Amino acid sequence: MPMHVQLNTDNILSGSATLARDVEEILESALDRFDERLTRIEVHLNDVNSSHKTGPADIRCMLEARVTGSEPVAVSDHAATVDQAVRGASGKLQRALESTLGRRSEHRHEKPLIDDPTV
């Protein structure tokens, strides 16, 4: 089942079809190897300073990945542009999923400790 991307924007940023497509492409590229484990990615984009103020990290992208059989994984990133914020957050999410799903996989394949009779 392919993951579903749900884009949410504030009243300052426009949630256009082009933006949705661009965000999906970035996420699919970064997270394609987790596709079987992800049911949904929620994307929250907002301008933290509002439209009349500018700064070096105005745009916040929060990503929440819904993982089959596990708790959701959430990350966020701040950047000057939407593209930079989405790319930064997707990199963080990729690392978080590698860590989370890697740990679960390792625990599943661990061998039980066996007492060494020679000791």
Side-chain angles (χ1 to χ4, degrees), residues 13-37:
L13 299 174
S14 171
S16 68
T18 301
L19 175 62
R21 187 180 60 246
D22 292 346
V23 169
E24 281 187 40
E25 287 175 4
I26 291 168
L27 292 174
E28 286 173 2
S29 175
L31 306 174
D32 64 339
R33 70 179 189 199
F34 303 109
D35 191 48
E36 295 291 322
R37 301 289 308 272

Side-chain angles (χ1 to χ4, degrees), residues 31 33-34 88-100:
L31 306 174
R33 70 179 189 199
F34 303 109
S90 66
K92 288 179 180 180
L93 184 56
Q94 181 183 46
R95 290 185 295 279
L97 290 170
E98 286 169 351
S99 176
T100 300

Side-chain angles (χ1 to χ4, degrees), residues 37 100-111:
R37 301 289 308 272
T100 300
L101 297 177
R103 276 198 307 262
R104 288 189 66 212
S105 173
E106 288 170 12
H107 289 295
R108 223 180 342 199
H109 298 303
E110 277 182 2
K111 294 180 182 173

Side-chain angles (χ1 to χ4, degrees), residues 45-112:
L45 292 169
N46 61 321
D47 185 332
V48 294
N49 291 329
S50 79
S51 63
H52 63 278
K53 297 179 186 176
T54 59
D58 279 1
I59 307 300
R60 175 181 173 262
C61 177
M62 195 279 289
L63 300 176
E64 182 177 327
R66 301 298 175 112
V67 182
T68 304
S70 186
E71 292 293 315
V73 177
V75 298
S76 65
D77 195 58
H78 291 78
T81 67
V82 169
D83 185 70
Q84 290 171 343
V86 172
R87 289 181 188 282
S90 66
K92 288 179 180 180
L93 184 56
Q94 181 183 46
R95 290 185 295 279
L97 290 170
E98 286 169 351
S99 176
T100 300
L101 297 177
R103 276 198 307 262
R104 288 189 66 212
S105 173
E106 288 170 12
H107 289 295
R108 223 180 342 199
H109 298 303
E110 277 182 2
K111 294 180 182 173

